[in-house]
Amino acid sequence: MAARERNYCLLLDPTKYNRNAGCRRHDNMYGINGGGSERQRWLVDRQFFHTMRANGDPMALPSYLACLLFGWFFWNYHSSPWPWRGQLLRRFVKARG
């Protein structure tokens, strides 16, 4: 039996509009292989929006707005004006490993 591919798209169907590939890249740029400043987060979100729009995804704009509003909770801040470093999410949820 083949392993199911992980769903990287929160609250979206990952099988439509090649979403899962774009969501995976976006997630990796947020945490695992990425992070950085707030400006870099905005650039990553804009790139994600352009990828979704290029694939004809009608959820491109709502997803982009959600990332802008709530992405700070998931972003891996390297040097931060905020009172934490790293992902704030990790302060509340123990990482699975």
Side-chain angles (χ1 to χ4, degrees):
M1 185 169 154
R4 287 182 60 185
E5 185 176 1
R6 180 177 171 187
N7 178 3
Y8 289 91
C9 300
L10 183 65
L11 305 175
L12 295 174
D13 182 354
T15 62
K16 295 181 178 180
Y17 305 100
N18 197 25
R19 281 183 188 145
N20 209 42
C23 291
R24 181 178 62 197
R25 189 173 76 239
H26 184 254
D27 286 0
N28 287 343
M29 292 170 80
Y30 252 60
I32 297 169
N33 300 321
S37 68
E38 188 71 6
R39 180 176 167 83
Q40 288 169 312
R41 180 175 78 86
W42 295 337
L43 293 173
V44 167
D45 291 344
R46 189 169 34 202
Q47 183 181 28
F48 180 53
F49 168 69
H50 289 300
T51 299
M52 290 182 78
R53 194 172 65 178
N55 288 329
D57 194 333
M59 292 302 294
L61 184 58
S63 297
Y64 177 60
L65 295 174
C67 288
L68 289 177
L69 291 173
F70 304 109
W72 59 271
F73 189 72
F74 300 94
W75 181 254
N76 185 9
Y77 289 96
H78 292 217
S79 58
S80 172
W82 306 106
W84 69 86
R85 284 179 55 104
Q87 291 174 295
L88 185 59
L89 173 69
R90 292 195 181 271
R91 299 211 183 261
F92 298 102
V93 178
K94 185 174 180 176
R96 289 186 271 168

XYZ file of all heavy atoms in Angstrom:
816
model
N 0.839 -1.174 0.000
C 0.000 0.000 0.000
C 0.891 1.247 0.000
O 1.798 1.388 0.802
C -0.896 -0.021 1.240
C -1.885 1.087 1.288
S -3.044 0.719 2.624
C -3.533 2.336 3.011
N 0.627 2.157 -0.898
C 1.422 3.377 -1.019
C 1.058 4.357 0.095
O -0.095 4.461 0.499
C 1.186 4.031 -2.375
N 2.064 5.070 0.572
C 1.829 6.060 1.613
C 1.107 7.271 1.028
O 1.377 7.676 -0.100
C 3.157 6.497 2.222
N 0.193 7.812 1.804
C -0.519 9.020 1.362
C 0.405 10.217 1.470
O 1.180 10.337 2.420
C -1.743 9.257 2.234
C -2.850 8.275 1.957
C -4.050 8.561 2.805
N -4.532 9.912 2.523
C -5.508 10.495 3.181
N -6.111 9.863 4.160
N -5.884 11.718 2.875
N 0.290 11.107 0.523
C 1.079 12.327 0.569
C 0.513 13.245 1.638
O -0.696 13.351 1.820
C 1.048 13.035 -0.786
C 1.943 14.231 -0.844
C 1.980 14.882 -2.217
O 1.288 14.414 -3.129
O 2.715 15.866 -2.346
N 1.398 13.899 2.358
C 0.981 14.808 3.420
C 0.224 15.999 2.827
O 0.586 16.528 1.788
C 2.223 15.302 4.146
C 1.912 16.240 5.272
C 3.166 16.633 5.991
N 2.861 17.704 6.934
C 3.759 18.344 7.613
N 5.024 18.045 7.482
N 3.407 19.299 8.431
N -0.823 16.418 3.517
C -1.604 17.580 3.106
C -0.994 18.829 3.737
O -1.039 19.013 4.943
C -3.058 17.422 3.550
C -3.908 18.618 3.206
O -3.454 19.577 2.586
N -5.157 18.582 3.607
N -0.427 19.692 2.899
C 0.194 20.920 3.378
C -0.759 22.114 3.338
O -0.388 23.199 3.753
C 1.430 21.251 2.527
C 2.575 20.311 2.776
C 2.719 19.157 2.027
C 3.514 20.581 3.759
C 3.772 18.287 2.252
C 4.568 19.722 3.997
C 4.688 18.574 3.242
O 5.727 17.719 3.475
N -1.955 21.925 2.821
C -2.899 23.028 2.640
C -3.940 23.038 3.757
O -4.852 22.220 3.769
C -3.601 22.909 1.291
S -2.481 22.935 -0.103
N -3.801 23.969 4.662
C -4.723 24.085 5.774
C -6.084 24.579 5.278
O -6.167 25.619 4.622
C -4.153 25.073 6.811
C -4.945 25.284 8.087
C -4.983 23.990 8.887
C -4.303 26.378 8.911
N -7.118 23.804 5.532
C -8.501 24.139 5.208
C -8.814 24.181 3.706
O -9.860 24.683 3.318
C -8.910 25.477 5.844
C -8.728 25.593 7.353
C -9.058 27.011 7.813
C -9.563 24.576 8.091
N -7.915 23.695 2.867
C -8.155 23.666 1.422
C -7.974 22.247 0.899
O -7.191 21.478 1.444
C -7.175 24.584 0.681
C -7.275 26.074 0.948
C -6.137 26.797 0.247
C -8.602 26.624 0.496
N -8.678 21.921 -0.181
C -8.509 20.636 -0.835
C -7.166 20.640 -1.568
O -6.979 21.407 -2.516
C -9.646 20.407 -1.832
C -9.570 19.063 -2.526
O -8.581 18.334 -2.344
O -10.526 18.741 -3.263
N -6.208 19.813 -1.147
C -4.871 19.852 -1.745
C -4.800 19.261 -3.153
O -3.805 19.451 -3.851
C -4.027 19.023 -0.775
C -5.001 18.052 -0.198
C -6.308 18.802 -0.102
N -5.850 18.570 -3.572
C -5.825 17.906 -4.877
C -6.201 18.826 -6.030
O -5.996 18.482 -7.182
C -6.766 16.690 -4.881
O -8.101 17.137 -4.644
C -6.369 15.682 -3.812
N -6.736 19.991 -5.732
C -7.168 20.916 -6.786
C -6.094 21.952 -7.078
O -5.398 22.405 -6.162
C -8.451 21.636 -6.373
C -9.641 20.709 -6.234
C -10.864 21.492 -5.845
C -12.075 20.587 -5.756
N -13.269 21.328 -5.372
N -5.972 22.358 -8.316
C -5.124 23.466 -8.763
C -3.655 23.307 -8.356
O -2.959 24.287 -8.149
C -5.655 24.806 -8.237
C -7.084 25.072 -8.594
C -8.103 24.854 -7.672
C -7.437 25.519 -9.866
C -9.428 25.075 -8.001
C -8.754 25.752 -10.205
C -9.748 25.525 -9.275
O -11.060 25.755 -9.598
N -3.202 22.069 -8.207
C -1.815 21.790 -7.809
C -1.469 22.520 -6.501
O -0.356 22.986 -6.299
C -0.842 22.179 -8.924
C 0.512 21.555 -8.738
O 0.661 20.519 -8.099
N 1.521 22.185 -9.293
N -2.440 22.604 -5.611
C -2.265 23.339 -4.362
C -1.203 22.748 -3.458
O -0.425 23.481 -2.835
C -3.581 23.374 -3.574
C -4.553 24.377 -4.055
C -5.783 24.378 -3.162
N -6.804 25.227 -3.730
C -8.096 24.975 -3.647
N -8.538 23.909 -3.009
N -8.965 25.802 -4.208
N -1.190 21.426 -3.327
C -0.318 20.817 -2.333
C 1.151 21.153 -2.585
O 1.901 21.406 -1.647
C -0.526 19.305 -2.252
C -0.225 18.770 -0.867
O -0.592 19.380 0.131
N 0.452 17.655 -0.809
N 1.568 21.196 -3.845
C 2.961 21.527 -4.158
C 3.275 22.962 -3.745
O 4.321 23.233 -3.140
C 3.227 21.330 -5.648
N 2.380 23.892 -4.050
C 2.585 25.287 -3.665
C 2.540 25.482 -2.161
O 3.344 26.239 -1.609
N 1.617 24.790 -1.505
C 1.512 24.896 -0.046
C 2.751 24.314 0.632
O 3.237 24.868 1.617
C 0.264 24.179 0.448
S -1.296 24.976 0.000
N 3.261 23.213 0.104
C 4.467 22.607 0.676
C 5.653 23.561 0.574
O 6.386 23.762 1.529
C 4.796 21.279 0.009
C 6.036 20.623 0.626
C 6.342 19.297 0.019
N 6.614 19.506 -1.393
C 6.604 18.537 -2.292
N 6.309 17.302 -1.949
N 6.879 18.791 -3.545
N 5.833 24.156 -0.598
C 6.938 25.101 -0.780
C 6.773 26.295 0.167
O 7.722 26.738 0.805
C 7.029 25.557 -2.231
C 8.294 26.372 -2.488
C 8.510 26.705 -3.939
N 7.602 27.778 -4.327
C 6.698 27.689 -5.295
N 6.586 26.588 -6.005
N 5.922 28.699 -5.574
N 5.552 26.798 0.262
C 5.269 27.928 1.154
C 5.566 27.556 2.606
O 6.223 28.316 3.332
C 3.807 28.340 0.980
C 3.403 29.533 1.763
N 2.612 29.434 2.884
C 3.679 30.855 1.609
C 2.406 30.646 3.376
N 3.047 31.527 2.631
N 5.119 26.389 3.051
C 5.369 25.946 4.423
C 6.864 25.804 4.697
O 7.350 26.187 5.753
C 4.677 24.619 4.703
C 3.181 24.749 4.866
O 2.658 25.881 4.756
O 2.519 23.718 5.082
N 7.587 25.242 3.746
C 9.030 25.071 3.925
C 9.742 26.414 3.994
O 10.700 26.576 4.751
C 9.624 24.217 2.814
C 9.250 22.757 2.956
O 8.824 22.313 4.010
N 9.388 22.006 1.885
N 9.282 27.377 3.230
C 9.891 28.706 3.274
C 9.540 29.424 4.576
O 10.261 30.307 5.020
C 9.456 29.521 2.062
C 10.031 28.968 0.769
S 9.319 29.709 -0.698
C 10.228 31.235 -0.761
N 8.457 29.019 5.198
C 8.052 29.613 6.476
C 8.873 29.080 7.633
O 9.182 29.810 8.560
C 6.573 29.303 6.742
C 5.667 30.491 6.598
C 5.561 31.167 5.400
C 4.900 30.930 7.658
C 4.719 32.241 5.262
C 4.046 32.003 7.536
C 3.965 32.662 6.331
O 3.126 33.741 6.215
N 9.188 27.815 7.615
C 9.807 27.248 8.801
C 11.024 26.399 8.558
O 12.130 26.769 8.913
N 10.839 25.263 7.942
C 11.899 24.275 7.834
C 13.114 24.828 7.110
O 14.231 24.768 7.601
C 11.381 23.010 7.118
C 10.276 22.361 7.952
C 12.508 22.028 6.871
C 9.527 21.278 7.231
N 12.913 25.355 5.934
C 14.024 25.845 5.116
C 14.011 27.356 4.972
O 14.578 27.890 4.042
C 13.966 25.222 3.715
C 14.055 23.723 3.765
O 14.787 23.171 4.553
N 13.287 23.054 2.926
N 13.327 28.037 5.847
C 13.170 29.463 5.616
C 13.081 30.286 6.867
O 13.717 29.974 7.860
N 12.278 31.292 6.761
C 12.132 32.233 7.850
C 12.946 33.478 7.572
O 13.465 33.674 6.484
N 13.056 34.314 8.565
C 13.813 35.544 8.420
C 13.052 36.715 9.009
O 12.440 36.609 10.067
N 13.054 37.807 8.296
C 12.409 39.033 8.764
C 10.944 39.091 8.336
O 10.489 38.282 7.529
C 13.139 40.253 8.195
O 12.936 40.320 6.796
N 10.243 40.081 8.856
C 8.835 40.282 8.486
C 8.715 40.610 6.997
O 7.808 40.136 6.315
C 8.239 41.404 9.341
C 6.747 41.575 9.189
C 5.947 40.446 9.808
O 6.501 39.557 10.472
O 4.717 40.445 9.603
N 9.638 41.385 6.484
C 9.631 41.714 5.059
C 9.784 40.452 4.202
O 9.108 40.295 3.195
C 10.747 42.712 4.752
C 10.814 43.122 3.310
C 11.889 44.192 3.106
N 12.210 44.398 1.721
C 11.536 45.166 0.897
N 10.468 45.798 1.314
N 11.915 45.304 -0.362
N 10.639 39.548 4.623
C 10.805 38.289 3.897
C 9.524 37.457 3.941
O 9.174 36.798 2.973
C 11.989 37.507 4.461
C 13.318 38.131 4.110
C 14.461 37.524 4.890
O 14.374 37.386 6.110
N 15.519 37.183 4.180
N 8.826 37.506 5.063
C 7.546 36.777 5.157
C 6.559 37.311 4.137
O 5.880 36.555 3.453
C 6.961 36.902 6.571
C 5.626 36.163 6.722
C 5.129 36.192 8.143
N 4.518 37.441 8.517
C 3.234 37.753 8.315
N 2.425 36.907 7.698
N 2.762 38.909 8.714
N 6.486 38.627 4.015
C 5.563 39.220 3.040
C 5.933 38.819 1.618
O 5.052 38.574 0.793
C 5.536 40.731 3.174
C 4.993 41.221 4.481
C 4.152 40.552 5.336
C 5.251 42.472 5.079
N 3.885 41.325 6.434
C 4.546 42.514 6.308
C 6.011 43.572 4.717
C 4.570 43.608 7.152
C 6.031 44.671 5.567
C 5.326 44.681 6.765
N 7.219 38.735 1.322
C 7.664 38.320 -0.015
C 7.287 36.868 -0.289
O 6.857 36.523 -1.397
C 9.171 38.527 -0.171
C 9.641 39.979 -0.166
C 11.168 40.044 -0.143
C 9.087 40.733 -1.356
N 7.443 36.001 0.706
C 7.066 34.593 0.569
C 5.561 34.472 0.341
O 5.112 33.702 -0.518
C 7.519 33.787 1.809
C 6.883 32.412 1.839
C 9.033 33.681 1.845
N 4.769 35.241 1.087
C 3.312 35.202 0.925
C 2.905 35.690 -0.466
O 2.018 35.112 -1.092
C 2.622 36.046 1.996
C 2.733 35.446 3.384
O 3.062 34.249 3.490
O 2.495 36.175 4.359
N 3.553 36.737 -0.944
C 3.228 37.252 -2.274
C 3.589 36.235 -3.360
O 2.840 36.040 -4.308
C 3.932 38.581 -2.526
C 3.451 39.230 -3.798
C 3.910 40.633 -3.972
N 5.234 40.828 -3.410
C 5.722 41.988 -3.033
N 5.005 43.069 -3.142
N 6.931 42.087 -2.541
N 4.714 35.550 -3.177
C 5.109 34.511 -4.134
C 4.076 33.374 -4.138
O 3.721 32.850 -5.193
C 6.489 33.979 -3.779
C 7.004 32.953 -4.748
C 8.366 32.426 -4.342
O 8.719 32.402 -3.163
N 9.136 31.997 -5.317
N 3.600 33.006 -2.963
C 2.569 31.977 -2.841
C 1.291 32.410 -3.573
O 0.688 31.629 -4.315
C 2.291 31.720 -1.360
C 1.242 30.684 -1.071
C 1.307 29.424 -1.617
C 0.196 30.970 -0.210
C 0.344 28.460 -1.330
C -0.770 30.032 0.079
C -0.689 28.778 -0.480
N 0.894 33.653 -3.382
C -0.283 34.198 -4.058
C -0.120 34.118 -5.579
O -1.024 33.673 -6.281
C -0.513 35.645 -3.624
C -1.525 36.383 -4.457
C -2.863 36.048 -4.409
C -1.124 37.401 -5.309
C -3.799 36.721 -5.178
C -2.043 38.087 -6.082
C -3.386 37.745 -6.018
N 1.035 34.527 -6.088
C 1.267 34.504 -7.537
C 1.261 33.073 -8.084
O 0.755 32.834 -9.179
C 2.565 35.215 -7.894
C 2.497 36.692 -7.727
N 1.602 37.491 -8.412
C 3.194 37.543 -6.932
C 1.751 38.750 -8.065
N 2.717 38.808 -7.146
N 1.781 32.130 -7.323
C 1.762 30.722 -7.734
C 0.326 30.217 -7.827
O -0.055 29.574 -8.804
C 2.555 29.848 -6.748
O 3.914 30.289 -6.723
C 2.495 28.377 -7.126
N -0.474 30.511 -6.812
C -1.871 30.068 -6.814
C -2.645 30.719 -7.961
O -3.426 30.054 -8.640
C -2.543 30.375 -5.471
C -2.044 29.528 -4.327
S -2.902 29.875 -2.786
C -4.434 28.981 -3.048
N -2.426 32.003 -8.158
C -3.129 32.719 -9.229
C -2.727 32.183 -10.603
O -3.573 32.027 -11.488
C -2.853 34.206 -9.128
C -3.797 35.033 -9.968
C -3.639 36.479 -9.728
N -2.300 36.885 -10.166
C -1.839 38.103 -10.134
N -2.570 39.064 -9.640
N -0.643 38.384 -10.556
N -1.447 31.853 -10.783
C -0.972 31.296 -12.054
C -1.611 29.937 -12.345
O -1.798 29.569 -13.502
C 0.545 31.163 -12.042
N -1.981 29.209 -11.286
C -2.651 27.922 -11.450
C -4.162 28.061 -11.580
O -4.882 27.069 -11.632
C -2.317 26.994 -10.277
C -0.900 26.484 -10.322
O -0.331 26.311 -11.401
N -0.312 26.260 -9.173
N -4.660 29.301 -11.603
C -6.094 29.535 -11.768
C -6.907 29.226 -10.526
O -8.113 28.982 -10.611
N -6.288 29.249 -9.378
C -6.963 28.893 -8.131
C -7.838 30.053 -7.642
O -7.340 31.145 -7.379
C -5.911 28.552 -7.070
C -6.491 27.844 -5.867
O -7.686 28.042 -5.559
O -5.749 27.082 -5.230
N -9.141 29.828 -7.494
C -10.028 30.890 -7.029
C -9.798 31.251 -5.559
O -10.272 32.288 -5.097
C -11.432 30.317 -7.242
C -11.247 28.848 -7.241
C -9.872 28.599 -7.800
N -9.054 30.436 -4.825
C -8.775 30.706 -3.420
C -7.462 31.463 -3.233
O -6.991 31.628 -2.101
C -8.726 29.386 -2.636
C -10.073 28.706 -2.528
S -11.331 29.747 -1.745
C -10.684 29.874 -0.098
N -6.873 31.967 -4.315
C -5.586 32.662 -4.230
C -5.672 33.889 -3.327
O -4.859 34.043 -2.408
C -5.094 33.043 -5.623
N -6.630 34.768 -3.562
C -6.723 35.994 -2.768
C -7.105 35.718 -1.312
O -6.443 36.242 -0.403
C -7.686 36.995 -3.411
C -7.786 38.342 -2.707
C -6.424 39.035 -2.625
C -8.804 39.236 -3.411
N -8.127 34.891 -1.034
C -8.433 34.600 0.374
C -7.257 33.944 1.111
O -6.998 34.257 2.275
C -9.634 33.650 0.311
C -10.259 33.919 -1.002
C -9.140 34.297 -1.925
N -6.530 33.079 0.432
C -5.370 32.424 1.055
C -4.269 33.432 1.342
O -3.634 33.398 2.403
C -4.827 31.315 0.147
O -5.791 30.316 -0.028
N -4.055 34.332 0.406
C -3.043 35.375 0.579
C -3.385 36.273 1.774
O -2.534 36.556 2.619
C -2.943 36.190 -0.712
C -1.987 37.353 -0.660
C -0.643 37.159 -0.407
C -2.434 38.651 -0.887
C 0.239 38.238 -0.378
C -1.563 39.727 -0.864
C -0.220 39.508 -0.599
O 0.644 40.571 -0.577
N -4.631 36.675 1.870
C -5.057 37.525 2.982
C -4.920 36.792 4.323
O -4.498 37.388 5.325
C -6.486 38.004 2.770
C -6.694 38.937 1.567
C -8.172 39.235 1.376
C -5.879 40.208 1.713
N -5.250 35.509 4.339
C -5.108 34.720 5.565
C -3.638 34.633 5.977
O -3.308 34.738 7.162
C -5.692 33.328 5.364
N -2.748 34.461 4.996
C -1.311 34.414 5.291
C -0.825 35.750 5.848
O -0.035 35.784 6.793
C -0.516 34.058 4.033
S -0.681 32.346 3.521
N -1.293 36.835 5.267
C -0.876 38.154 5.755
C -1.350 38.403 7.184
O -0.628 38.964 8.003
C -1.399 39.256 4.835
C -0.749 39.351 3.458
C -1.427 40.443 2.642
C 0.738 39.593 3.560
N -2.574 37.971 7.477
C -3.147 38.221 8.800
C -2.616 37.285 9.887
O -2.401 37.712 11.021
C -4.667 38.105 8.747
C -5.394 39.205 7.978
C -6.881 38.865 7.863
C -5.219 40.545 8.667
N -2.415 36.013 9.550
C -2.094 35.016 10.566
C -0.728 34.366 10.419
O -0.338 33.559 11.254
C -3.176 33.929 10.583
C -4.554 34.477 10.803
C -5.481 34.489 9.773
C -4.926 34.991 12.033
C -6.757 35.007 9.963
C -6.196 35.510 12.233
C -7.114 35.512 11.201
N -0.005 34.713 9.373
C 1.279 34.072 9.112
C 2.326 34.332 10.176
O 3.218 33.505 10.392
N 2.225 35.459 10.883
C 3.204 35.783 11.922
C 3.288 34.701 12.995
O 4.330 34.492 13.601
C 2.871 37.132 12.579
C 1.511 37.146 13.215
C 0.329 37.480 12.620
C 1.195 36.771 14.551
N -0.701 37.351 13.513
C -0.198 36.913 14.712
C 1.948 36.341 15.638
C -0.844 36.629 15.906
C 1.289 36.054 16.831
C -0.084 36.206 16.953
N 2.196 33.966 13.199
C 2.160 32.919 14.213
C 3.003 31.710 13.804
O 3.529 31.001 14.643
C 0.706 32.511 14.447
C 0.506 31.590 15.618
C 0.632 32.059 16.917
C 0.185 30.265 15.433
C 0.453 31.217 17.997
C -0.009 29.416 16.503
C 0.130 29.897 17.795
N 3.150 31.490 12.477
C 3.838 30.318 11.967
C 5.245 30.623 11.452
O 6.051 29.723 11.280
C 3.025 29.697 10.823
C 1.647 29.273 11.250
C 0.567 30.117 11.100
C 1.437 28.036 11.824
C -0.703 29.733 11.491
C 0.176 27.640 12.228
C -0.906 28.491 12.059
N 5.528 31.867 11.145
C 6.802 32.272 10.530
C 7.971 32.029 11.489
O 7.873 32.261 12.683
C 6.737 33.745 10.135
C 7.961 34.267 9.472
C 8.891 35.094 10.028
C 8.387 34.041 8.129
N 9.870 35.387 9.109
C 9.576 34.745 7.938
C 7.880 33.307 7.072
C 10.276 34.743 6.740
C 8.556 33.298 5.878
C 9.740 34.006 5.714
N 9.099 31.581 10.944
C 10.305 31.341 11.724
C 11.139 32.625 11.714
O 11.899 32.866 10.789
C 11.088 30.169 11.130
C 12.276 29.795 11.964
O 12.466 30.278 13.065
N 13.093 28.914 11.434
N 10.977 33.445 12.741
C 11.695 34.717 12.829
C 13.131 34.456 13.270
O 13.375 33.876 14.315
C 11.013 35.657 13.833
C 9.702 36.197 13.344
C 8.503 35.605 13.701
C 9.675 37.293 12.503
C 7.294 36.092 13.244
C 8.463 37.801 12.038
C 7.289 37.194 12.412
O 6.090 37.685 11.951
N 14.087 34.908 12.468
C 15.496 34.743 12.816
C 15.942 35.881 13.722
O 16.476 35.657 14.792
C 16.355 34.702 11.552
C 16.114 33.462 10.746
N 17.110 32.803 10.088
C 14.991 32.748 10.481
C 16.624 31.751 9.461
N 15.330 31.708 9.686
N 15.782 37.083 13.272
C 16.026 38.249 14.120
C 14.713 39.009 14.107
O 14.194 39.346 13.054
C 17.159 39.101 13.571
O 16.863 39.519 12.260
N 14.191 39.242 15.264
C 12.799 39.671 15.320
C 12.597 40.907 16.176
O 13.194 41.042 17.233
C 11.968 38.521 15.887
O 10.662 38.915 16.135
N 11.707 41.801 15.720
C 11.293 42.896 16.594
C 10.306 42.397 17.660
O 10.009 43.093 18.614
C 10.611 43.869 15.635
C 10.074 43.001 14.548
C 11.083 41.888 14.405
N 9.793 41.181 17.470
C 8.838 40.598 18.408
C 9.594 40.047 19.612
O 10.783 39.796 19.542
C 8.041 39.483 17.720
C 7.390 39.936 16.467
C 7.771 39.628 15.200
C 6.271 40.809 16.333
N 6.965 40.245 14.288
C 6.030 40.976 14.960
C 5.456 41.471 17.233
C 5.006 41.765 14.471
C 4.432 42.263 16.745
C 4.216 42.403 15.390
N 8.930 39.819 20.707
C 9.621 39.332 21.920
C 9.967 37.842 21.887
O 10.223 37.253 22.913
C 8.624 39.650 23.030
C 7.306 39.689 22.367
C 7.560 40.172 20.958
N 9.981 37.216 20.726
C 10.373 35.812 20.606
C 11.221 35.632 19.356
O 11.226 36.449 18.469
C 9.143 34.897 20.553
C 8.346 35.034 19.305
C 8.560 34.381 18.114
C 7.231 35.886 19.081
N 7.640 34.776 17.182
C 6.810 35.706 17.740
C 6.531 36.796 19.870
C 5.740 36.388 17.193
C 5.477 37.470 19.315
C 5.086 37.264 18.000
N 11.929 34.549 19.333
C 12.668 34.132 18.130
C 12.121 32.773 17.749
O 11.692 32.014 18.589
C 14.154 34.031 18.425
C 14.841 35.365 18.500
C 16.303 35.209 18.824
N 16.978 34.320 17.900
C 17.782 34.705 16.914
N 18.016 35.970 16.729
N 18.364 33.836 16.125
N 12.176 32.447 16.484
C 11.634 31.173 16.024
C 10.146 31.279 15.767
O 9.600 32.367 15.637
N 9.491 30.146 15.723
C 8.060 30.102 15.442
C 7.281 30.178 16.746
O 7.477 29.369 17.644
C 7.711 28.814 14.704
C 8.259 28.765 13.299
C 8.013 27.414 12.668
O 8.555 26.424 13.128
N 7.223 27.382 11.624
N 6.398 31.133 16.847
C 5.565 31.260 18.037
C 4.729 29.992 18.225
O 4.494 29.563 19.354
C 4.665 32.491 17.927
C 3.818 32.812 19.153
C 4.707 33.051 20.370
C 2.939 34.006 18.895
N 4.324 29.380 17.132
C 3.541 28.148 17.187
C 4.219 27.095 18.062
O 3.583 26.407 18.831
C 3.338 27.608 15.767
C 2.696 26.239 15.636
C 1.240 26.314 16.068
C 2.785 25.731 14.218
N 5.548 26.989 17.971
C 6.286 25.972 18.728
C 6.232 26.220 20.231
O 6.497 25.326 21.013
C 7.713 25.883 18.248
C 7.807 25.323 16.856
C 9.237 24.916 16.556
N 9.331 24.395 15.208
C 9.144 23.124 14.889
N 8.861 22.241 15.822
N 9.245 22.736 13.641
N 5.898 27.405 20.643
C 5.760 27.680 22.072
C 4.466 27.083 22.626
O 4.339 26.881 23.823
C 5.791 29.173 22.343
C 7.078 29.824 21.911
C 7.405 30.993 22.803
N 8.600 31.645 22.332
C 9.797 31.435 22.853
N 9.937 30.588 23.841
N 10.853 32.080 22.397
N 3.501 26.819 21.751
C 2.206 26.291 22.178
C 1.968 24.838 21.799
O 1.190 24.161 22.431
C 1.078 27.147 21.569
C 1.113 28.566 22.031
C 1.632 29.566 21.221
C 0.642 28.916 23.279
C 1.683 30.881 21.648
C 0.688 30.220 23.723
C 1.207 31.214 22.902
N 2.627 24.378 20.736
C 2.403 23.018 20.238
C 3.728 22.303 20.192
O 4.679 22.766 19.567
C 1.791 23.069 18.806
C 1.596 21.660 18.279
C 0.497 23.843 18.808
N 3.799 21.159 20.875
C 5.025 20.366 20.867
C 5.215 19.755 19.483
O 4.295 19.183 18.907
C 4.950 19.273 21.920
C 6.225 18.498 22.062
C 6.168 17.514 23.205
C 7.476 16.784 23.273
N 7.516 15.882 24.412
N 6.411 19.916 18.933
C 6.712 19.395 17.593
C 6.677 17.870 17.594
O 7.134 17.227 18.529
C 8.075 19.890 17.131
N 6.086 17.334 16.534
C 6.080 15.881 16.366
C 7.396 15.477 15.725
O 7.883 16.119 14.816
C 4.924 15.443 15.462
C 3.595 15.602 16.139
C 2.524 15.037 15.297
N 2.052 16.111 14.414
C 1.271 15.932 13.387
N 0.854 14.733 13.084
N 0.879 16.952 12.646
N 7.965 14.418 16.147
C 9.243 14.031 15.571
C 9.468 12.637 15.469
O 9.335 11.615 15.492
